[in-house]
Amino acid sequence: IEVVKCWAAELPIEKTIKMLELNNIKINRNTVSSYFTLFRNCISLALNKDQIILGGPSIIIEIDESLFARVKYNIGNDLFRKKVWVFGMIDRKTEKLYMQIVPNREAQTLLGIIYSHTQPFSIIYSDKWSSYNKISQLHYGNIEHYSVNHSRNFIDPDSGACTNKIEAIWS
């Protein structure tokens, strides 16, 4: 029960161990880590990702895609390991997040996810990836889309678009 309390309070593993030691409970770091993983897995199974809808009238949603691969110092067998694309969206107002592993970054794939998980009249901020070019046509044209060219600016000087919240998640 004490481990569940610490997990629910979002304490890191080391602080959890210290808290339990204060209550004269000795527990191994690997045991705490295993329980935390079990709790996360149980919660994620209970979530219905299809019901996650972000945005709404004048609410900003940031979107981005990222490649995950384990390559260290550009050497070794990891260079040939399968690379995984993940697409993410975050609602700036509620900070609700939607992430999904995707097979590719093509417009058909990404626009389908955006359409399924955003409300009409939302505002979407993205980078200049070409797959995002038709976002403003989603929901019968009731989506505003602004983009930032990260090779020139962190924040777009004209629209004010930036993707700092979603990029912070990737780092």
Side-chain angles (χ1 to χ4, degrees):
I1 298 294
E2 296 301 318
V3 175
V4 173
K5 287 179 185 177
C6 291
W7 178 77
E10 299 181 5
L11 292 180
I13 293 172
E14 297 304 322
K15 283 193 178 182
T16 298
I17 292 169
K18 287 178 184 175
M19 288 291 291
L20 295 174
E21 286 175 353
L22 289 173
N23 293 326
N24 294 323
I25 301 170
K26 295 205 183 257
I27 192 163
N28 184 301
R29 184 186 200 293
N30 291 336
T31 304
V32 175
S33 177
S34 295
Y35 275 117
F36 280 17
T37 300
L38 174 68
F39 300 153
R40 278 192 307 272
N41 289 342
C42 289
I43 295 296
S44 67
L45 289 173
L47 289 176
N48 186 348
K49 289 189 346 178
D50 294 335
Q51 293 180 351
I52 297 174
I53 307 294
L54 306 176
S58 301
I59 295 175
I60 297 170
I61 301 169
E62 294 179 21
I63 64 172
D64 201 7
E65 75 290 331
S66 189
L67 179 64
F68 288 81
R70 187 170 182 255
V71 178
K72 201 168 191 176
Y73 308 117
N74 292 321
I75 57 173
N77 294 335
D78 288 338
L79 287 173
F80 305 105
R81 182 173 285 188
K82 182 181 176 189
K83 293 161 180 58
V84 178
W85 282 105
V86 177
F87 176 71
M89 306 187 327
I90 187 167
D91 183 315
R92 276 198 184 173
K93 183 176 182 182
T94 64
E95 295 194 347
K96 283 187 358 186
L97 175 71
Y98 179 83
M99 295 173 75
Q100 180 177 331
I101 294 173
V102 292
N104 55 54
R105 301 185 301 163
E106 295 174 6
Q108 182 177 352
T109 303
L110 301 181
L111 292 176
I113 296 168
I114 295 166
Y115 181 81
S116 299
H117 296 280
T118 60
Q119 292 186 37
F121 305 104
S122 298
I123 300 168
I124 295 181
Y125 285 178
S126 72
D127 56 22
K128 288 280 191 182
W129 180 244
S130 62
S131 293
Y132 301 141
N133 289 343
K134 295 187 178 182
I135 286 177
S136 57
Q137 297 173 11
L138 296 176
H139 292 295
Y140 305 102
N142 292 325
I143 294 282
E144 289 182 57
H145 177 230
Y146 301 99
S147 58
V148 58
N149 185 345
H150 286 306
S151 64
R152 293 192 181 147
N153 302 300
F154 183 70
I155 298 174
D156 185 71
D158 298 326
S159 67
C162 69
T163 55
N164 58 345
K165 281 189 184 256
I166 192 73
E167 288 176 5
I169 292 167
W170 300 138
S171 30

